[in-house]
Amino acid sequence: MQTIRHSEQTLKTALISKNPVLMSQYEKLDVGEQHLMNEAFQPTSGLFGPITLHSQSDWIISHPEAPQDFEQFFSDPYRKTPSPEKHSIYVQSIGSLGNTRIISEEYIKWLKGYCEAFFYGLTVKLLEPVPVSATRCSFRVNDNTQNLQIHAGDILKYLKKKKPEDAFCVVGITMIDLYPRDSWNFVFGQASLTDGVGIFSFARYGSDFYSLHYEGKLKKLQKTSSSDYSIFDNYYIPEITSVLLLRSCKTLTHEIGHIFGLRHCQWLTCLMQGSNHLEEADRRPLNLCPICLRKLQCAIGFSIVERYKALVRWIDDESANMPGVTAKHSRKDKGSLPKPVEAFKEWKEWIMKCLAVLQK
């Protein structure tokens, strides 16, 4: 195992910058926010630690790229920022997300609520679900895993055409595996920063995907033409567990982070670290490191305290996170399902520690 440990000065510069204008901006932040972010360059910090690499197949080793500090993010001429006219994140589900209509509807509401807390200050809206056939995308059966896959690039083109006027971005989510090009095995997600669209699959997040007994395997692709989408009528959908929900929230917020202009993080353990495989994705935390947190705060303008409180409310509310509806009342509603948040409990404890620093 290898540890990537930067010097205190390197991390301090990556966070605050040596640019007098950006240094002045930092000094104007709330005192509590500065205390929390300064944890980035505290060697004894219990909140933010160094990145650890476990194998040669980990992202940083296999995909070398230049790190992005706050100043580079701030100065990026191609970075898109939400505006009063374009202030909404739209979520488009493609195909069924659950084994029943109720599970599909609740699951996407959970993801919507999580995104509203994570990107605190922006509005998250749901588009009407569509079947795979509506996208007219290419598809295949993976030669290695023998599961159905849809072409990520084709989906991005479809989302671009559907993008509403007030959208900062449109993100597609699906339980069908993705591939970006014929030579690739799969991809968890893909986004176009220029067009403000992204597509993310949660197919590989089910507990059984890599097992010998995975029920989504097909012997071969049987289709009469490229426009025959009948094979998707009864495709396999994994059970919505707490771990699958956590993995879904991670991928969704990581990829939307890219649309905001955040590149892969190489500073500290962080949601924005790249991942090549599920084991590495699971090691990645739900939280942003201080450097990436400052980037997102700069783009949206939220209070860090209020954002963390919103995330705690999402975890505590085991309903579908409908505004003004308590978990106690919502469970009485017909068809309502309890939100499986067991896997988020450890993260909630971490957030509470951050709130203690912020509110000292």
Side-chain angles (χ1 to χ4, degrees):
M1 189 170 73
Q2 179 186 347
T3 301
I4 299 177
R5 199 179 298 276
H6 300 284
S7 70
E8 292 174 45
Q9 187 56 53
T10 297
L11 291 169
K12 188 173 183 179
T13 303
L15 171 67
I16 301 173
S17 169
K18 290 184 177 179
N19 180 317
V21 174
L22 299 184
M23 291 172 71
S24 175
Q25 278 185 19
Y26 190 79
E27 288 164 6
K28 290 175 184 174
L29 291 176
D30 176 88
V31 173
E33 293 183 341
Q34 288 186 52
H35 282 160
L36 179 70
M37 291 193 186
N38 286 349
E39 289 281 319
F41 49 86
Q42 304 299 330
T44 57
S45 174
L47 296 173
F48 306 101
I51 295 172
T52 57
L53 304 177
H54 291 239
S55 74
Q56 291 298 307
S57 64
D58 281 4
W59 182 272
I60 289 178
I61 295 174
S62 55
H63 295 273
E65 51 190 322
Q68 179 197 50
D69 59 23
F70 177 76
E71 183 175 343
Q72 289 167 320
F73 169 83
F74 185 85
S75 307
D76 183 353
Y78 303 106
R79 177 170 63 86
K80 294 192 182 300
T81 304
S83 66
E85 297 77 29
K86 295 186 182 295
H87 208 251
S88 298
I89 295 172
Y90 280 85
V91 181
Q92 171 72 75
S93 59
I94 298 167
S96 296
L97 300 177
N99 289 312
T100 68
R101 180 184 58 81
I102 290 172
I103 293 174
S104 278
E105 290 174 355
E106 293 289 288
Y107 178 61
I108 197 167
K109 285 177 186 175
W110 298 333
L111 294 175
K112 173 184 181 289
Y114 186 81
C115 278
E116 283 179 329
F118 194 92
F119 300 103
Y120 188 75
L122 296 189
T123 304
V124 180
K125 299 178 181 179
L126 301 178
L127 293 168
E128 279 296 315
V130 298
V132 177
S133 57
T135 70
R136 315 312 296 170
C137 67
S138 301
F139 57 97
R140 72 180 187 185
V141 169
N142 185 295
D143 290 335
N144 300 313
T145 49
Q146 284 146 14
N147 63 305
L148 268 173
Q149 293 184 305
I150 52 179
H151 193 281
D154 290 349
I155 303 290
L156 292 180
K157 290 174 188 173
Y158 169 78
L159 294 173
K160 183 182 176 182
K161 290 176 185 174
K162 280 198 69 175
K163 191 175 180 183
E165 283 295 316
D166 66 333
F168 169 69
C169 66
V170 181
V171 294
I173 57 174
T174 183
M175 281 294 182
I176 306 165
D177 207 23
L178 299 171
Y179 70 103
R181 57 180 72 99
D182 291 342
S183 59
W184 279 51
N185 184 30
F186 80 99
V187 68
F188 285 121
Q190 191 172 342
S192 168
L193 278 61
T194 308
D195 297 326
V197 293
I199 173 66
F200 324 117
S201 168
F202 309 137
R204 292 176 180 252
Y205 294 159
S207 58
D208 60 344
F209 185 88
Y210 292 99
S211 77
L212 294 172
H213 309 293
Y214 176 61
E215 294 178 39
K217 290 182 180 179
L218 299 174
K219 289 182 180 178
K220 62 179 180 178
L221 180 60
Q222 296 176 333
K223 62 175 180 177
T224 54
S225 72
S226 60
S227 59
D228 179 11
Y229 291 90
S230 60
I231 195 167
F232 292 98
D233 290 347
N234 295 297
Y235 67 87
Y236 176 72
I237 301 172
E239 180 187 358
I240 305 297
T241 63
S242 186
V243 171
L244 188 144
L245 180 60
L246 181 141
R247 289 169 171 170
S248 302
C249 289
K250 265 190 197 180
T251 295
L252 192 56
T253 49
H254 173 99
E255 297 295 347
I256 294 174
H258 283 318
I259 296 174
F260 277 92
L262 279 74
R263 294 188 210 147
H264 284 128
C265 183
Q266 299 182 52
W267 303 110
L268 296 160
T269 51
C270 179
L271 172 79
M272 292 310 297
Q273 286 171 238
S275 65
N276 250 357
H277 43 81
L278 187 58
E279 182 191 343
E280 187 177 19
D282 281 344
R283 290 199 304 268
R284 190 170 62 187
L286 283 157
N287 59 277
L288 297 169
C289 75
I291 296 160
C292 292
L293 181 61
R294 188 184 178 196
K295 293 174 188 176
L296 191 64
Q297 185 194 39
C298 169
I300 299 177
F302 50 67
S303 154
I304 295 177
V305 167
E306 295 307 315
R307 176 179 175 271
Y308 279 151
K309 285 180 178 178
L311 286 164
V312 170
R313 283 196 299 273
W314 181 88
I315 297 169
D316 284 346
D317 180 9
E318 294 178 12
S319 71
N321 200 40
M322 298 302 286
V325 179
T326 65
K328 181 180 177 182
H329 291 135
S330 64
R331 284 203 195 96
K332 295 178 183 177
D333 297 340
K334 186 178 180 181
S336 181
L337 296 171
K339 185 167 53 183
V341 293
E342 300 82 15
F344 294 83
K345 297 300 184 185
E346 188 177 326
W347 191 46
K348 179 188 170 181
E349 293 172 8
W350 180 90
I351 295 174
M352 299 307 290
K353 291 176 184 176
C354 289
L355 283 169
V357 173
L358 286 159
Q359 297 174 315
K360 264 184 184 177

